[in-house]
């Protein structure tokens, strides 16, 4: 080891010419290991291009004083500095180097704009910079190595590498950066490895990779330790040829963007931690396995070629949601005249996922509980999937959504090619799926939906709003499904079955427990026990189903059941009920008479070959119709009911006529009347006389031949009146029968 400055200079020159490494004791006083920066610059600058083959600058533990500047120079020899310290920023701007290694070095900053390195650029293994490392527009024809580097930029930039071009990868595992790491517009031929990195720039951007192009993968995961960022991560407009992996990452940001008005009425409160608007990923995006973000994760209009995995993640600010919970209470969530503040946790409007969206809890490493169980996604705030398109299936089974009083899942016009799984989902807030298109099944089995969105009048909106939605196969809201605000499937189309068996529908403030107005479905299952009566109204108006399965709980809905124009071909209950029970249910839910439900029920019985039951329904329909008319109408209806059964029981008229005929004949057998005209000699026949008096128009030669007096006069008049009444009602009934047939 040299002892003086002259010895140091001579040793460095000789070692440089021979390409040898000069080692200084890093624990020795600086004076004994001080190397002038000008010496190093002159060695590299004054060397002729064709001289000193094998020359290289290799220093270990040196303390470089003065300016080390290679600005604009072309250096064809390796520069390898290890554990060296610099008093001034090395100036490598516009330099062309064959190779540069600065392992473990400490610098007050690094000037490297437009630097070009013909191989790897190594700034790792404890490389420390007390100010920004500026590699803007640099070109590295190898890999940029920053693994274990420590970059201090204060409140400014730690790494400036905008538009940097790397033929290889960016290796920055366990990087420590205070200040912004800027990779805006960078082009990386390999992968970017940031596993275990810690980026701190509170209140600003921790990583700005806007518009970056990465041919390989982007790893911001737990390799080398958990990736953490205190500040915003910007990946908007990025292009990644492989996967984007944030598994286990922890993001925290308090950068509040300008509030944006959203539909429905409200303001999006987005303090974004990860901004990946319009990102294009050819592979998968993994935000799972302990990924946490205290701010919004933005993926609007992202294009993901593989799957999007969110299992085991926690997104959103608990504090903001707790404030929202305290604000709602018993009061309306949307006070009249005010704009509601909506905290957004995951903003993925317009996202395209060509594989599956996976956010459920799952068992890994074995079957039947033999492996470790991942928790499902937990969200504090709103999940926005408006106009999103998932070509595979979307599984949110077991997911926990916390956003009381808001649309915690806002997914209008969501398209899912396979099944949308919401099994055992727990939500404080409403799920909005208006105009959604589900290729297979919408499975909400066992889901619990509480604290729905409120209205200014104190009522609440549906917990599940799937109006005008299209479901290719089944809509499953059973096995303990609970919707405190009710369910709206108005004008929805379900290809096979919609089931609400055993569901708990409605609650305080829910005016409508089930809105199935205009629903089209093959099988509609509404099997609700008496203890599961919906809280609120059930609207089945204009609902069309091939088969209906109901239960007593449905017809005990606290707000009644509207069944006008409700059409079906068969209806079954478990346990089975008789027609009189169904008629009683109709009376209870329809205080005002409407003929449609009776006609529909009668048609079902008639098509099933049960004509007698159909007649019972028709008789009940007529009874209720006449009961709502005036006094004359009610009297006429009473006569219709007991004489001919409104035309559906013609045998009653015959029975009544027979009865009155027998009574009249028996009376006249004991009370022969004198002849009315002595010129005629009619034969007295009490049996024919009774028939002649009862049957109008028909003349059997007895009526008008006898002089009635006393009680016989009253009896004959009564027989005539009864005959006309029975004849009229029989004619009306016959006309109805003919019209029906």
């Amino acid at each position: 080891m040299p002892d003086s400055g002259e010895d140091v200079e001579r040793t460095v020159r000789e070692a440089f010419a021979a390409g040898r490494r000069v080692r200084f004791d890093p624990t020795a006083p600086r004076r004994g290991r001080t190397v002038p920066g000008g010496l190093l610059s002159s060695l590299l600058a004054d060397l002729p291009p064709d001289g000193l083959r094998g020359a290289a600058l290799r220093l270990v533990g040196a303390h470089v004083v003065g300016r080390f500047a290679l600005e604009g120079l072309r250096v064809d020899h390796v520069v390898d500095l290890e554990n060296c310290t610099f008093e001034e920023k090395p100036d490598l701007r516009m330099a062309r180097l064959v190779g540069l290694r600065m392992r473990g070095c400490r610098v007050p900053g690094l000037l490297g704009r437009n630097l070009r390195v013909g191989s790897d650029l190594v700034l790792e293994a404890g490389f420390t910079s007390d100010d920004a490392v500026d590699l803007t527009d640099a070109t590295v024809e190898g890999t940029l190595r920053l693994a274990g580097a420590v970059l201090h930029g204060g409140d400014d930039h730690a790494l400036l590498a905008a538009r940097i071009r790397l033929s290889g990868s960016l290796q920055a595992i366990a990087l420590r950066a205070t200040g912004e790491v800027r990779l805006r517009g960078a082009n990386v031929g390999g992968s970017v490895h940031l596993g275990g990195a810690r980026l701190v720039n509170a209140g600003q951007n921790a990583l700005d990779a806007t518009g970056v192009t990465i041919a390989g993968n982007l790893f911001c995961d737990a390799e080398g330790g958990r990736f953490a960022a205190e500040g915003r991560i910007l990946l908007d407009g990025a292009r990644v040829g492989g996967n984007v992996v944030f598994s286990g990452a922890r993001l925290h940001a308090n950068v509040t963007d300008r509030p944006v008005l959203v539909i429905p009425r409200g303001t999006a409160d987005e303090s974004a931690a990860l901004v990946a608007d319009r990102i294009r990923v050819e592979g998968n995006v993994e935000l799972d396995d302990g990924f946490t973000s205290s701010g919004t994760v933005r993926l609007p209009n992202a294009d993901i070629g593989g799957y999007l995995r969110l299992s085991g993640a926690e997104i959103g600010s608990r504090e903001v949601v707790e404030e929202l919970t305290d604000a709602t209470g018993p009061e309306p969530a949307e006070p009249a005249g005010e704009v509601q503040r909506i905290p957004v946790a995951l903003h993925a409007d317009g996202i395209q996922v060509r594989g599956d969206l996976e956010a459920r809890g799952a068992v890994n490493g074995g079957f039947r509980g033999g492996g470790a169980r991942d928790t499902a996604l937990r969200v504090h705030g709103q999940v926005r999937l408006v106009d999103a398109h998932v070509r595979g299936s979307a599984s949110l089974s077991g997911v926990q959504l916390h956003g009381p009083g808001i649309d915690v899942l806002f997914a209008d016009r969501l398209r899912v090619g396979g099944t949308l799984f919401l099994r055992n989902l727990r939500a404080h807030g409403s799920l909005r799926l208006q105009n959604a298109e589900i290729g297979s099944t919408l499975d909400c089995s066992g889901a619990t939906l509480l604290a729905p969105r409120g209205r200014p009048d104190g009522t609440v909106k549906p917990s599940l709003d799937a109006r005008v939605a299209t479901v290719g196969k089944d809509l499953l809201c059973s096995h303990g499904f609970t919707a405190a605000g009710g369910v709206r499937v108005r004008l929805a189309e379900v290809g096979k079955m919609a089931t609400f068996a055993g569901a708990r529908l409605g609650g305080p403030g829910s005016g409508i427990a089930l809105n199935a107005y205009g629903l089209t479905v093959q099988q509609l299952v509404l099997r609700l026990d008496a203890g599961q009566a919906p809280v609120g109204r059930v609207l089945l108006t204009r609902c069309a189903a091939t088969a209906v399965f109901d239960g007593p709980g449905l017809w005990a809905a606290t707000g009644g059941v509207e069944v006008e124009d409700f059409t079906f071909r068969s209806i079954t209950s478990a346990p089975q009920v008789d027609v009189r029970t169904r008629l009683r249910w109709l009376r209870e839910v329809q205080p005002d008479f409407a003929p449609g439900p009776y006609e529909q029920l009668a048609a079902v019985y008639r098509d099933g070959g049960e004509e007698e039951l159909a007649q019972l329904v028709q008789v009940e329909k007529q009874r209720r119709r006449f009961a709502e008319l005036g006094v004359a109408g009610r009297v006429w209806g009473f006569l219709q009911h007991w004489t001919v059964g409104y035309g559906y029981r013609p045998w009653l008229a015959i029975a009544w006529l027979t009865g009155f005929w027998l009574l009249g004949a028996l009376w006249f057998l004991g009370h022969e009347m004198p002849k009315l005209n002595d010129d005629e000699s009619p034969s007295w026949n009490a049996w024919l006389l009774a028939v002649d008096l009862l049957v109008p128009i028909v003349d059997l030669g007895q009526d008008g031949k006898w002089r009635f007096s006393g009680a016989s006069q009253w009896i004959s008049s009564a027989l005539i009146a009864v005959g006309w009444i029975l004849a009229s009602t029989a004619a009306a009934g016959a006309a109805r029968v003919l019209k029906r047939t």
Side-chain angles (χ1 to χ4, degrees):
M1 180 180 294
D3 296 329
S4 65
E6 293 181 357
D7 292 338
V8 168
E9 181 175 343
R10 184 177 61 256
T11 300
V12 170
R13 288 183 181 275
E14 292 175 353
F16 170 73
R20 295 196 309 269
R21 190 180 305 274
V22 179
R23 293 184 178 274
F24 295 93
D25 183 1
T27 63
R30 286 185 175 179
R31 185 177 60 181
R33 55 190 180 89
T34 298
V35 178
L39 170 64
L40 304 181
S41 301
S42 64
L43 287 175
L44 296 171
D46 297 339
L47 187 68
D50 56 349
L52 293 179
R53 292 182 177 275
L57 181 61
R58 306 178 189 274
L59 300 178
V60 179
H63 177 66
V64 181
V65 297
R67 194 160 177 261
F68 175 53
L70 299 175
E71 183 178 5
L73 296 180
R74 176 169 181 165
V75 178
D76 294 326
H77 301 277
V78 172
V79 178
D80 187 354
L81 308 174
E82 184 176 348
N83 296 325
C84 297
T85 58
F86 290 77
E87 288 189 350
E88 296 186 23
K89 296 179 181 180
D91 189 351
L92 307 175
R93 289 174 292 178
M94 296 178 288
R96 295 173 63 90
L97 308 179
V98 67
L100 175 62
R101 293 190 289 270
M102 301 182 72
R103 294 186 184 91
C105 293
R106 184 169 193 129
V107 298
L110 179 65
L111 303 177
R113 294 180 70 95
N114 298 106
L115 169 67
R116 187 180 185 96
V117 180
S119 59
D120 291 353
L121 174 57
V122 181
L123 307 173
E124 61 182 3
F127 173 86
T128 303
S129 176
D130 295 326
D131 201 353
V133 173
D134 189 352
L135 297 174
T136 303
D137 293 311
T139 300
V140 178
E141 296 177 4
T143 294
L144 172 59
R145 299 185 178 275
L146 289 165
V150 180
L151 309 180
H152 298 288
D155 295 331
D156 202 353
H157 300 90
L159 174 64
L160 285 169
R163 299 176 299 281
I164 191 172
R165 292 176 296 279
L166 305 177
S167 299
S169 299
L170 171 59
Q171 295 283 350
I173 294 174
L175 170 70
R176 297 294 183 266
T178 303
E180 180 182 312
V181 174
R182 177 170 290 185
L183 298 173
R184 183 181 298 175
N187 192 314
V188 182
S191 297
V192 174
H193 297 266
L194 288 167
R198 180 174 178 80
L199 313 180
V200 179
N201 196 23
Q204 300 181 61
N205 298 327
L207 172 63
D208 184 355
T210 302
V212 68
T213 300
I214 302 173
N217 303 309
L218 170 61
F219 294 105
C220 296
D221 53 5
E223 181 184 358
R226 189 184 296 269
F227 175 86
E230 182 78 21
R232 185 165 52 184
I233 305 294
L234 297 181
L235 291 170
D236 43 330
R239 299 291 182 268
V240 181
N243 302 325
V244 172
V245 182
F246 278 82
S247 300
R250 291 180 178 175
L251 309 182
H252 178 73
N254 54 6
V255 182
T256 303
D257 296 325
R258 180 181 299 176
V260 179
L261 291 177
V262 296
I263 298 174
R265 184 179 62 185
T267 301
D269 182 6
E270 293 188 358
S271 298
L274 175 59
V275 179
D277 300 26
R278 303 176 308 283
I279 189 173
R280 184 182 181 89
V281 181
E282 298 298 328
N284 308 317
V285 173
E286 301 181 14
L287 310 175
D288 59 348
D289 292 340
F291 171 85
T292 61
S293 173
S294 64
T296 304
V297 173
R298 289 182 53 90
L299 293 167
N301 300 305
D303 191 336
I304 300 174
Y307 58 75
L308 171 61
R309 192 163 189 264
L310 298 164
S311 298
E314 184 171 1
I315 303 174
S317 172
R318 292 191 181 192
E319 292 75 14
V320 173
V321 172
E322 287 172 358
E323 291 177 9
L324 184 68
T325 304
D326 296 337
T328 54
E331 300 298 324
E334 292 183 40
E338 296 185 12
V339 175
Q340 186 184 8
R341 176 185 171 201
I342 302 175
V344 178
L346 176 60
H347 187 172
D349 290 356
I351 190 173
Q352 302 277 334
V353 181
R354 302 180 191 277
D356 293 342
L357 190 160
E358 184 69 57
R360 63 176 178 171
V363 176
N364 294 326
F367 297 94
R368 300 183 180 178
R373 184 171 185 84
D374 292 337
T375 58
L377 170 68
R378 289 176 292 170
V379 175
H380 305 279
Q382 185 179 80
V383 174
R384 295 182 58 91
L385 292 170
V386 178
D387 292 309
H389 184 192
V390 180
R391 294 193 178 181
S393 294
S395 180
L396 280 72
S397 296
V399 167
Q400 299 180 31
L401 306 177
H402 301 278
I406 66 172
D407 290 314
V408 70
L409 174 60
F410 187 23
D412 286 3
R413 299 178 299 280
L414 168 68
R415 289 182 292 163
V416 178
T419 296
L420 174 56
F421 292 100
L422 302 177
R423 282 188 167 192
N424 300 313
L425 178 140
R426 299 291 181 267
H428 284 75
S430 296
L431 309 185
R432 177 167 164 151
L433 296 167
Q434 294 181 16
N435 298 96
E437 296 181 16
I438 312 300
S440 182
T441 297
L442 174 55
D443 189 352
C444 303
S445 302
T448 301
L449 313 180
L450 306 174
R453 188 173 173 220
R455 295 188 177 95
D457 61 0
T459 61
V460 297
K461 294 191 174 183
S463 290
L464 174 59
D465 187 353
R467 76 176 90 173
V468 203
T470 302
V471 180
K473 190 178 178 184
D474 298 329
L475 169 62
L476 308 179
C477 297
S478 57
H479 294 91
F481 173 81
T482 300
V487 174
R488 178 189 289 163
V489 285
R490 181 184 177 92
L491 299 175
E493 296 181 7
V494 180
K496 187 177 179 183
M497 177 177 65
T499 176
F500 297 89
R504 299 278 183 178
L505 304 175
S510 61
I512 301 178
L514 175 60
N515 186 345
Y517 178 97
L519 171 67
T520 302
V521 63
Q522 293 295 313
Q523 298 179 15
L524 179 59
V525 181
L526 297 167
R527 283 178 174 160
L528 304 175
D529 296 334
Q532 299 169 332
V535 181
R537 284 186 298 159
V538 174
L539 301 183
L540 299 176
T541 306
R542 296 190 178 180
C543 177
T546 301
V548 176
F549 303 87
D550 64 353
L554 168 67
W555 304 100
T558 61
V561 183
E562 297 186 14
V563 292
E564 186 66 23
D565 293 328
F566 177 31
T567 59
F568 48 90
R569 295 183 183 177
S570 67
I571 186 165
T572 307
S573 183
Q576 195 62 257
V577 297
D578 57 24
V579 65
R580 298 187 186 280
T581 301
R582 291 204 174 278
L583 293 175
R584 176 172 59 81
W585 288 346
L586 274 180
R587 287 195 300 270
E588 291 173 352
V589 301
Q590 275 201 311
D592 297 325
F593 169 73
Y598 292 94
E599 292 287 352
Q600 175 62 48
L601 185 58
V604 169
Y605 284 128
R606 189 179 302 112
D607 293 342
E610 297 175 312
E611 187 64 35
E612 296 79 5
L613 301 183
Q615 290 182 2
L616 286 174
V617 175
Q618 293 288 11
V619 168
E620 175 64 12
K621 181 192 77 172
Q622 295 298 333
R623 188 194 67 77
R624 291 203 62 188
R625 182 172 75 90
F626 282 104
E628 296 192 2
L629 300 178
V631 175
R634 287 196 292 272
V635 171
W636 179 245
F638 177 82
L639 294 174
Q640 288 273 330
H641 178 74
W642 291 106
T643 54
V644 293
Y646 306 104
Y648 298 101
R649 297 172 179 172
W651 55 268
L652 277 177
I654 299 174
W656 280 106
L657 285 171
T658 302
F660 278 101
W661 171 62
L662 290 174
L663 290 174
L666 292 174
W667 172 265
F668 289 122
L669 282 174
H671 300 81
E672 186 174 348
M673 298 291 103
K675 293 186 295 185
L676 181 63
N677 189 348
D678 293 337
D679 295 336
E680 297 181 0
S681 301
S683 298
W684 175 261
N685 189 321
W687 301 99
L688 291 178
L689 176 60
V691 173
D692 213 356
L693 291 172
L694 277 171
V695 180
I697 302 174
V698 177
D699 186 4
L700 298 178
Q702 293 292 322
D703 189 15
K705 305 297 184 181
W706 314 100
R707 182 182 292 112
F708 296 99
S709 61
S712 295
Q713 185 177 10
W714 289 100
I715 289 174
S716 64
S717 299
L719 290 174
I720 293 171
V722 167
W724 276 105
I725 292 172
L726 289 174
S728 300
T729 55
R736 188 174 293 112
V737 171
L738 291 173
K739 182 179 180 180
R740 188 173 71 250
T741 57

